[in-house]
Structures are given as C-alpha cells and as structure tokens.
Amino acid sequence: MLPGLAALILAEYTAISQHADKTRIAFWGNIILLIINLVLLIAGKIYRKNNPLDEETTEMLEQARAREREKGGRKVRNIIAYTLLGGVFLTILIGFNLTLADITGAPKQATNRPGGNISHMAVPDSERVRTVLTDRNFETAEIPVSYWFIEEDKLMYVAAGAKDDIKFEFYDYDGTETATGVFNQIIERISIGLPSAERDQNIAELPGGKMFAMTENGIYSVVIYKGNTVIYAYSPETSSETKDILIELGYIKDKAI
C-alpha cells in the first residue's frame, strides 16, 4: 500500500506545486516508485518460493477459491460497486484539485493586468518571454533557473533560455514587494565583494522598477525588477543581445542604460 500512497502524494504534489522543476521531480519520483514495486514483486516471489504453504493451508485456499467462483455474480456486483465508489472518489479528487488551482491561480492571471497600481503594470508574461527567446534561437526547453529557491512559495511562473554563453531568466511573482526583495537578494549574490557604494552606483531607476548591471571578467550581468517580475541575465561583454531582448520585452528603451 505504501508505494500506492506515495504515488498519490506525488500526483498531488505535481498538481498543486509551483516548483520550477516539479516535472523533473515527478519523473524521477515515478522512476523510484517503479524500482520499488519491481523489488517488492521479486522479493514476494522469492519469499513464496522459500516459504511454501503446508498442505492443509493450500487445501483451505483452494476451497475458498472454489466458493468464490461459485459466487461469481456477487463478485461482478462488488466490482461494479467498487468502480462506482472509485469514480465518486476520483471526481471529488479532481474537483478538489481544480478548486485549489483556481484559488492559487487567481493571482497569476491578475499580475499582468495594466492599471494604476505598480503591481499590475503591463509587463510580459512567461509565454511572451519564451516566444521572444525562441525567435532568437535560444534553447528554452528544460532550462533551469538560478534563483528559483528565493521566495519559492510566492513564485508563480518562470521562463528561461540559453544560447552559447548567454543565459536569460524570467521570474513572475505574486506581487511587487516580493519582486523587489528577490531583486535585492540576487544583487547581493552576484556582487559579492563589491563595495556597497559601488553597488548602489550600478542601480538605475526604471519606470515601475529598478535595474542593476555590472561587468566583471568580461561578463555582463543584469538584474531587473518591474512590477511583479524579475529578470536575471548574463552574457559576454561584447554581446548586445541581452539588451536587445530587454528592449523587445519593454523593460528598457535603449542600450545606453
């Protein structure tokens, strides 16, 4: 029963989790469960072979099976009853997940609405980011993001792309306050050793957000928050593609910033 319970928990996790790598976790979880089930099956066969039943118990089992065959009609009725009961349980489970998805998904639909509040500014969503990256020949399938663990429970969507030595990551959070906090934490992680005064000089104000940019050892790194979204990207200093993407997505207006 335990592998079955584990499979149910894994399915629930996949349905409701906002973890960026939940698909990969679910895949490996299913592989592990398959291995466990195979081990249990083999162990059961070995046990039965090494511990055969005595003649009296074997005869009792045969009699019980004979009685079950005589009650075939009742067995059919039981199967039908169990099937109906299972259907009811499955319907309740699906309804629960759909309701939970609506509850947790409501902010996701509201984050990109234009409006007076900064948290509802017109910012691109993850699909728009993926489209722009794909059009520029970035690999976007199963690309991990670097800072998913920061405010993970408030992370709504992610998108990422990689091409040569360029990496572009997009994070969509539940509000501006969360995005601001993530922005500051990423800056602290990528600018270790940089004096705070110099770090502040590398921050520029944007409409509805801020931008941090630095170049070190020939690598240009940029962190932006705008509304409820955060961008983290890096590329060779000689490449202008990161800025081109930011302009296309509407985060900046020109490359001079």
Side-chain angles (χ1 to χ4, degrees), residues 132-147:
V132 170
L133 294 175
T134 300
D135 290 345
R136 291 177 172 271
N137 297 319
F138 277 70
E139 176 61 44
T140 59
E142 298 297 328
I143 300 298
V145 292
S146 306
Y147 297 106

Side-chain angles (χ1 to χ4, degrees), residues 176-187:
T176 301
E177 185 176 351
T178 303
T180 304
V182 173
F183 169 80
N184 291 327
Q185 291 191 54
I186 294 178
I187 291 176

Side-chain angles (χ1 to χ4, degrees), residues 59-240:
E59 184 178 353
M60 291 175 59
L61 288 175
E62 288 297 332
Q63 292 176 357
R65 292 192 184 108
R67 287 194 297 270
E68 287 295 325
R69 287 193 292 270
E70 292 175 358
K71 299 177 181 178
R74 180 181 298 179
K75 186 175 181 180
V76 172
R77 290 195 297 272
N78 288 341
I79 291 175
I80 295 174
Y82 291 144
T83 301
L84 292 175
L85 183 61
V88 171
F89 175 76
L90 183 60
T91 301
I92 294 173
L93 187 61
I94 293 173
F96 170 76
N97 283 328
L98 290 176
T99 302
L100 187 59
D102 289 339
I103 293 173
T104 58
K108 299 177 186 178
Q109 298 175 357
T111 51
N112 292 324
R113 294 177 186 171
N117 190 309
I118 190 173
S119 64
H120 293 151
M121 293 184 60
V123 291
D125 58 20
S126 57
E127 291 303 319
R128 168 63 176 157
V129 174
R130 287 192 188 93
T131 299
V132 170
L133 294 175
T134 300
D135 290 345
R136 291 177 172 271
N137 297 319
F138 277 70
E139 176 61 44
T140 59
E142 298 297 328
I143 300 298
V145 292
S146 306
Y147 297 106
W148 56 267
F149 54 86
I150 303 177
E151 299 290 0
E152 178 186 359
D153 58 327
K154 299 178 181 178
L155 181 60
M156 312 299 280
Y157 296 106
V158 295
K163 182 174 72 172
D164 299 328
D165 296 326
I166 304 174
K167 181 75 176 294
F168 194 95
E169 302 177 2
F170 170 87
Y171 302 80
D172 189 349
Y173 291 94
D174 65 351
T176 301
E177 185 176 351
T178 303
T180 304
V182 173
F183 169 80
N184 291 327
Q185 291 191 54
I186 294 178
I187 291 176
E188 291 178 2
R189 284 173 165 81
I190 69 172
S191 62
I192 296 176
L194 193 69
S196 58
E198 187 175 346
R199 182 185 299 168
D200 293 341
Q201 291 176 358
N202 290 356
I203 297 178
E205 296 287 338
L206 297 177
K210 291 183 179 181
M211 172 179 176
F212 172 86
M214 63 177 287
T215 301
E216 185 176 24
N217 298 325
I219 300 298
Y220 171 77
S221 301
V222 59
V223 187
I224 292 178
Y225 93 80
K226 183 177 182 181
N228 49 276
T229 65
V230 174
I231 296 289
Y232 167 63
Y234 59 84
S235 62
E237 182 181 4
T238 55
S239 174
S240 65

